[in-house]
Amino acid sequence: MAGAHHPELAAFTAGKAFRGKGPLSVAPCGDATRQKDRTSPRRRGVADGGRGQVLGLGKGAVQAILKRHRITRVLASEGGRTSRGSLNNMREYVAFLNELKAKGKVDLDAVEAFWKIERVHEFFAGKPFKIKLDASRSLRVVVRDVIAQAVERQKTAPGMYYAGAVLQHLVGAKLDCALGEGAVAHNCFSTADAPNARVGDFFIGDVAIHVTTSPGEAVIEKCRDNLNDGYRPMLVTLQRGLLVAEELAGQVGLGERIDIFEIEQFVALNLYELGRFGADGRKTAVTDMVNRYNEIVEKFETDPSLKIELRR
């Protein structure tokens, strides 16, 4: 039951919005439950008959668990003690572990690793991306900067696709700002990336828009399917993927049938138009797009670190 491949834990985390310092301090209650029996979670975890605190979740206990996984940063100075929210989190989490036990043996080491190695690392990496609204910088550089932050963060978190999620939701926010909310349907990045019956990441009129950081043969084939179905395919990618996509499309005879755009230009030009090419208008356009982007992330993603903080 490795953490990265445990759908029940992932579903519990998303369904209960079980993130932030409090829940992440409570989650290692697996450690408290293992004090008497390392293989079977018991209905423990609330001290003093449930009146005041979560058992074993003072700062020292939480940090000791983190230290086993070579995490030395302080998660929460108060741990999970004396918090009504923590008590409720504990009850829900232990009930969840008991349900899991009913389905088979629970590996508490794997459960702990799920929280401590994956979720806590995500929390500490979970600062929002930052955009500095500086009149001296081009709008393309503003877009480039936030994507570069996502690419850099991705290097330190194998298996996480921050850049792809940022690209998709930037495009979605840009479309909402240009066409009005409701003009396109949004999805979480992992859903959009999965094989499904949708014609593209976004579909407007007869246009199927595909958003990708690394265009390959698969996305070109999707574009071919779009053409066969009577749709007009559009591909939005990073600057380094532009030539790759054009080359791949040319190799299969679709070079003149697919519109391929680089993300910086795709977003920046629209910001100029939305801002009516004025200084104040540009600031408003960037602010509106970032706000809409954050709303999309809040609704469709479980990772708050995908948000963007706008600095002036």
Side-chain angles (χ1 to χ4, degrees):
M1 189 172 66
H5 303 288
H6 198 302
E8 290 90 350
L9 277 173
F12 178 85
T13 304
K16 299 293 184 181
F18 211 72
R19 51 183 182 265
K21 291 189 292 186
L24 285 174
S25 294
V26 166
C29 73
D31 192 72
T33 65
R34 72 173 79 214
Q35 290 176 2
K36 288 188 177 180
D37 182 347
R38 289 183 58 86
T39 61
S40 128
R42 299 178 180 275
R43 290 194 175 278
R44 301 183 58 197
V46 178
D48 302 323
R51 289 189 297 272
Q53 65 187 43
V54 177
L55 178 66
L57 285 188
K59 173 183 174 182
V62 173
Q63 291 305 126
I65 297 170
L66 293 176
K67 188 175 181 180
R68 285 207 299 267
H69 298 287
R70 300 180 182 179
I71 300 172
T72 58
R73 295 174 66 180
V74 175
L75 179 62
S77 59
E78 69 277 15
R81 301 171 66 87
T82 64
S83 164
R84 180 174 298 177
S86 292
L87 294 176
N88 290 334
N89 287 336
M90 168 62 76
R91 292 187 180 99
E92 288 189 345
Y93 182 61
V94 174
F96 164 75
L97 286 181
N98 282 320
E99 286 182 16
L100 211 58
K101 177 182 178 295
K103 299 176 183 178
K105 181 180 178 180
V106 175
D107 181 349
L108 288 177
D109 289 319
V111 171
E112 180 180 290
F114 173 85
W115 295 109
K116 294 301 122 191
I117 294 177
E118 298 180 38
R119 303 287 80 76
V120 173
H121 275 301
E122 286 177 9
F123 175 80
F124 284 133
K127 307 266 177 166
F129 302 115
K130 295 176 176 60
I131 286 180
K132 184 171 178 59
L133 200 53
D134 185 343
S136 68
R137 301 202 307 164
S138 74
L139 291 183
R140 288 192 64 168
V141 169
V142 171
V143 177
R144 182 183 307 163
D145 187 36
V146 71
I147 294 171
Q149 292 175 56
V151 170
E152 188 61 30
R153 183 181 294 177
Q154 193 166 295
K155 293 178 182 177
T156 64
M160 302 297 292
Y161 298 99
Y162 293 107
V166 169
L167 250 68
Q168 177 182 310
H169 297 315
L170 275 178
V171 170
K174 177 254 200 210
L175 293 171
D176 276 356
C177 288
L179 304 174
E181 292 182 32
V184 297
H186 300 274
N187 294 274
C188 76
F189 174 69
S190 58
T191 300
D193 198 47
N196 52 56
R198 293 188 299 111
V199 298
D201 294 306
F202 302 99
F203 185 61
I204 314 164
D206 68 342
V207 179
I209 303 176
H210 304 272
V211 184
T212 178
T213 59
S214 303
E217 294 179 359
V219 73
I220 300 300
E221 282 305 307
K222 288 181 181 179
C223 291
R224 185 197 293 278
D225 292 340
N226 293 154
L227 291 165
N228 291 337
D229 292 335
Y231 304 131
R232 179 176 292 275
M234 178 186 295
L235 196 156
V236 182
T237 187
L238 297 175
Q239 190 171 35
R240 67 171 181 265
L242 190 64
L243 292 178
V244 174
E246 290 176 343
E247 177 67 22
L248 289 172
Q251 288 176 1
V252 295
L254 299 179
E256 296 184 357
R257 303 192 66 192
I258 304 173
D259 283 311
I260 303 174
F261 294 97
E262 180 264 326
I263 181 72
E264 295 172 22
Q265 184 178 26
F266 186 73
V267 173
L269 181 57
N270 203 209
L271 290 173
Y272 273 106
E273 294 169 343
L274 290 169
R276 297 183 178 275
F277 294 88
D280 290 339
R282 287 194 295 274
K283 291 179 183 178
T284 300
V286 172
T287 300
D288 289 346
M289 187 190 71
V290 169
N291 288 341
R292 182 58 190 143
Y293 169 95
N294 287 337
E295 289 170 357
I296 294 168
V297 169
E298 179 71 26
K299 183 173 182 179
F300 294 97
E301 301 290 350
T302 59
D303 184 353
S305 74
L306 287 169
K307 291 184 176 181
I308 295 173
E309 177 184 325
L310 190 60
R311 293 185 169 182
R312 290 177 170 81

